[in-house]
Amino acid sequence: MSDHDYRPKSKVGQWFNDRLPLLTLANHLTDYPTPKNLNYWWTFGGILTFCLITQIVTGLTLAMHYIAHADMAFESVEHIMRDVNYGWLIRYIHANGASMFFLAVYIHIFRSLFYGSYKSPREIIWILGIIIYLLMMAAAFMGYVLPWGQMSFWGATVITNLFSAIPLVGEGIVTWLWGGYSVDNPTLTRFFTLHYLIPFLILGLVVLHIWALHVPGNNNPVGIDIKKPSKDTVPFHPYIVIKDGFALLMFMIVFAFFVFYAPNILGHADNYIEANPMVTPAHIVPEWYLLPFYAILRSVPDKLLGVVAMLSAILILAILPWLDTSKIRSAVFRPLYRQFYWILVADVLVLGYVGAMPAEGLYLLIARVATAYYFLHFLVILPVLGFKEKTLPVPLSITEPVLGGSPNLAAARNKESKIE
Amino acid sequence: MSEKKTKRRDFLFTATTAVGAVGAAAVVWPMIDQMNPDASVKALASTEVDVSSLTPGNTLTVLWRGKPVFIRRRTKEEIEEARAVKMEDLIHPEKDEDRAKNPEWLVMLGVCTHLGCVPLNDKGDYNGWFCPCHGSHYDTSGRIRKGPAPWNMEVPKYEFVNANTIKIG
């Protein structure tokens, strides 16, 4: 990195920076050479940072009014909605913010899948991302329990019961998680504690995620290694800052639409009924962002194997860099992978749809086929494709295709070295 | 540095690590165990239910340890149906005679053994219970017949204190 020789202009700046090199860090972040061809799919990292901060700020303010007790939680949420100044706004931002967070993270993940951003040398960035994603799911699940409505209670019951599938120790683990013989007050108070903790763990992991990113630098739509800094890069500020900022504003319009015009459309009406351990709602479904995994869970008729399949569906992503054997990163130059990519996208959407439907008849059949295909994609298609696929010629630099160059190695290398 | 001094440092290193590890383990256990059911939760171990108002063909649902317990006064047809089932047709083979000592009364946890939902009365393909969450069907003895649940609904420890009162737990 070229910023080691950075020196602040002012005397005070120099004095401070010699003692704590924060200004060097700021300079690194401003000058950070970024591929000049990043498209709008690359703006979701910034959008996700915004989502995290939004959840932390609104969450802290909600915690000032919320009461984590089985007898009072439901009422305290209604108190927030009706009595607290702008409580409705803060809660709707927080509740819909979770959905927006997942919307952005899914786009972010599928961008990585399309452009091969998880491949060497970016495996650690990818794995950190998967851990963040897992923590997001844990935080979202526990947050959904806090209003102590019917969906909160029964969602908590069903999800914690997943652990009872573990042979021998399963029941003991579930009792330990509950702090009792059913989901009750001890469960609520510990979920509140963990729900409060996890965002800060995510924040720490985001710092590592960005740190790991800044070592090799960004991948780009062409998916090739580029020289940094060079004619293929632009400094992060102002080029990427303004692009991220514009995309963020567009994203906030969508966000605001949900908060102000359809604040409950992504939730379930049953959660406005207080938790009742005697009655299970007729149709239990998790929040939309967990539906594909829920569909996988239900498509397996065996309890333990269903849980194993669901967890594998997530954890398989962690070893993706080694399952994909192709050396070419971007799907732009992988004509076959590009088609399988879109089939996978459709497959996950289908899983999400059947996850919301009752698990019977045709829906169950579709869920089973889609589940099988999901694993087939990662375990068979990706490894084989790397050997079988005839990829298109990859340009040597980002600038090259723009200048109309052919994949002529010698000519392009000459061109590169002259400009350097 | 003499050899003797190095040996002393090695000893200190090993001893410190060993004592530290034991100390850490001793502190970790209370931190884990505090999450297990506390004394006040365990104290709610049994409950007594008056079943005098229950007529045949009806179910009473009571809360015991935060979980619903179904008390069903079964009709003759239900008992016959439950007792006529062959063991080899069952996913989790249990005789109805063992599940309901007094055939008229079926007492069991109203908790689906799949993921813990409360099954619905008088529903499903076997005239017993049906779990709306993931589609498990139970028969008139609360035994799993179809669906993802692995076991029959659990029969808790209970006894008739007198003709009209059941003590659960």
Side-chain angles (χ1 to χ4, degrees):
Chain A
M1 273 169 265
S2 61
D3 40 33
H4 285 303
D5 43 17
Y6 167 77
R7 218 167 147 66
K9 285 191 188 74
S10 72
K11 274 263 182 321
V12 181
Q14 283 173 19
W15 179 88
F16 182 84
N17 205 48
D18 285 344
R19 281 150 186 82
L20 179 67
L22 270 186
L23 294 170
T24 302
L25 178 66
N27 176 258
H28 162 78
L29 294 175
T30 335
D31 284 356
Y32 172 65
T34 321
K36 67 178 180 185
N37 60 340
L38 294 189
N39 56 35
Y40 276 106
W41 299 115
W42 258 265
T43 58
F44 282 85
I47 287 170
L48 283 161
T49 313
F50 165 81
C51 287
L52 178 61
I53 292 166
T54 304
Q55 290 307 87
I56 290 179
V57 171
T58 52
L60 284 172
T61 42
L62 287 172
M64 294 179 189
H65 306 280
Y66 171 77
I67 302 166
H69 189 285
D71 295 339
M72 286 174 275
F74 186 81
E75 270 178 50
S76 77
V77 171
E78 285 310 303
H79 161 73
I80 288 169
M81 294 301 289
R82 291 152 196 263
D83 304 338
V84 175
N85 301 329
Y86 293 104
W88 60 272
L89 178 65
I90 299 168
R91 175 163 177 264
Y92 277 154
I93 292 174
H94 195 74
N96 285 283
S99 280
M100 293 299 114
F101 206 155
F102 276 95
L103 175 67
V105 92
Y106 282 129
I107 295 174
H108 195 61
I109 291 171
F110 274 100
R111 188 268 291 155
S112 284
L113 292 178
F114 188 84
Y115 294 111
S117 302
Y118 49 86
K119 292 188 194 184
S120 172
R122 298 185 179 80
E123 302 95 322
I124 300 290
I125 312 173
W126 171 256
I127 290 169
L128 285 167
I130 297 299
I131 300 172
I132 292 172
Y133 175 50
L134 280 170
L135 284 175
M136 276 175 65
M137 288 198 273
F141 158 65
M142 292 194 215
Y144 196 57
V145 175
L146 302 185
W148 210 240
Q150 272 289 66
M151 278 293 170
S152 301
F153 184 89
W154 291 102
T157 301
V158 168
I159 300 294
T160 48
N161 259 309
L162 292 178
F163 291 92
S164 72
I166 304 168
L168 302 175
V169 291
E171 295 290 336
I173 290 177
V174 173
T175 305
W176 177 71
L177 286 173
W178 287 341
Y181 304 104
S182 63
V183 172
D184 211 332
N185 193 49
T187 326
L188 176 61
T189 50
R190 66 191 55 180
F191 276 19
F192 179 57
T193 310
L194 295 173
H195 181 72
Y196 209 124
L197 167 73
I198 290 174
F200 296 98
L201 296 181
I202 293 178
L203 190 63
L205 284 164
V206 166
V207 171
L208 293 182
H209 191 66
I210 296 172
W211 186 1
L213 169 70
H214 280 227
V215 176
N218 291 70
N219 184 29
N220 63 78
V222 182
I224 54 168
D225 292 322
I226 52 167
K227 285 191 173 170
K228 292 173 293 273
S230 72
K231 62 185 167 42
D232 279 348
T233 66
V234 289
F236 188 78
H237 183 77
Y239 296 94
I240 303 298
V241 169
I242 195 67
K243 188 162 186 155
D244 276 358
F246 178 71
L248 178 59
L249 277 180
M250 293 294 117
F251 183 80
M252 283 162 81
I253 291 173
V254 177
F255 197 147
F257 168 80
F258 281 106
V259 170
F260 292 106
Y261 293 95
N264 289 309
I265 202 165
L266 299 169
H268 299 288
D270 275 310
N271 222 28
Y272 283 101
I273 303 167
E274 193 169 2
N276 180 357
M278 306 279 268
V279 183
T280 306
H283 189 45
I284 293 199
V285 267
E287 294 290 79
W288 68 267
Y289 39 81
L290 302 174
L291 287 174
F293 301 110
Y294 192 61
I296 292 174
L297 168 77
R298 296 195 306 181
S299 71
V300 183
D302 182 84
K303 182 174 169 179
L304 176 61
L305 292 181
V307 175
V308 169
M310 185 183 69
L311 289 177
S312 310
I314 304 167
L315 294 178
I316 203 169
L317 294 172
I319 54 164
L320 177 61
W322 296 275
L323 289 174
D324 185 345
T325 49
S326 177
K327 294 276 175 276
I328 306 296
R329 290 197 194 102
S330 175
V332 172
F333 304 104
R334 300 184 61 189
L336 281 179
Y337 173 72
R338 200 157 60 214
Q339 292 173 29
F340 284 115
Y341 170 85
W342 287 112
I343 296 173
L344 179 72
V345 173
D347 187 62
V348 172
L349 291 175
V350 165
L351 279 173
Y353 174 73
V354 293
M357 295 293 134
E360 50 198 33
L362 187 62
Y363 293 124
L364 190 58
L365 181 71
I366 296 172
R368 285 182 176 159
V369 173
T371 299
Y373 183 79
Y374 181 90
F375 287 103
L376 192 76
H377 175 90
F378 289 105
L379 292 174
V380 180
I381 295 174
L382 280 189
V384 172
L385 211 53
F387 297 109
K388 298 278 180 202
E389 187 177 31
K390 199 170 171 342
T391 55
L392 303 176
V394 174
L396 288 160
S397 75
I398 293 170
T399 316
E400 189 202 34
V402 182
L403 296 179
S406 60
N408 180 332
L409 296 180
R413 285 214 176 103
N414 277 337
K415 224 160 44 188
E416 284 258 317
S417 53
K418 264 176 210 155
I419 295 165
E420 288 293 308
Chain B
M1 202 178 285
S2 74
E3 220 175 82
K4 209 179 173 185
K5 274 188 178 164
T6 313
K7 274 184 183 161
R8 199 164 74 171
R9 187 177 295 122
D10 286 347
F11 171 75
L12 276 174
F13 178 78
T14 312
T16 309
T17 312
V19 173
V22 172
V27 175
V28 163
W29 177 244
M31 302 307 286
I32 293 172
D33 193 41
Q34 54 84 21
M35 279 174 70
N36 272 319
D38 60 36
S40 72
V41 171
K42 284 181 183 160
L44 302 169
S46 73
T47 182
E48 288 192 8
V49 190
D50 178 13
V51 293
S52 55
S53 60
L54 205 58
T55 52
N58 282 305
T59 304
L60 186 69
T61 308
V62 294
L63 212 57
W64 173 66
R65 286 181 159 185
K67 283 178 178 166
V69 174
F70 292 155
I71 302 174
R72 173 125 185 137
R73 189 162 184 182
R74 297 192 294 182
T75 59
K76 281 209 174 61
E77 296 78 50
E78 287 170 350
I79 299 168
E80 280 162 20
E81 196 182 330
R83 307 225 152 165
V85 178
K86 291 191 200 114
M87 279 300 113
E88 53 266 33
D89 293 342
L90 294 173
I91 297 169
H92 175 196
E94 267 186 325
K95 280 188 189 157
D96 185 62
E97 287 83 345
D98 297 333
R99 290 177 59 80
K101 291 278 189 306
N102 179 348
E104 206 181 353
W105 297 93
L106 178 66
V107 179
M108 63 185 178
L109 289 186
V111 176
C112 179
T113 56
H114 182 228
L115 294 173
C117 297
V118 180
L120 303 169
N121 271 324
D122 299 319
K123 287 260 166 65
D125 299 352
Y126 296 88
N127 303 321
W129 285 265
F130 172 71
C131 181
C133 291
H134 306 96
S136 292
H137 299 256
Y138 295 88
D139 66 13
T140 54
S141 186
R143 293 176 296 198
I144 178 68
R145 302 300 294 273
K146 196 170 108 184
W151 305 297
N152 304 333
M153 280 192 263
E154 189 185 336
V155 177
K157 220 178 90 184
Y158 69 92
E159 58 184 7
F160 277 86
V161 180
N162 55 49
N164 290 329
T165 312
I166 296 179
K167 184 183 169 201
I168 306 164

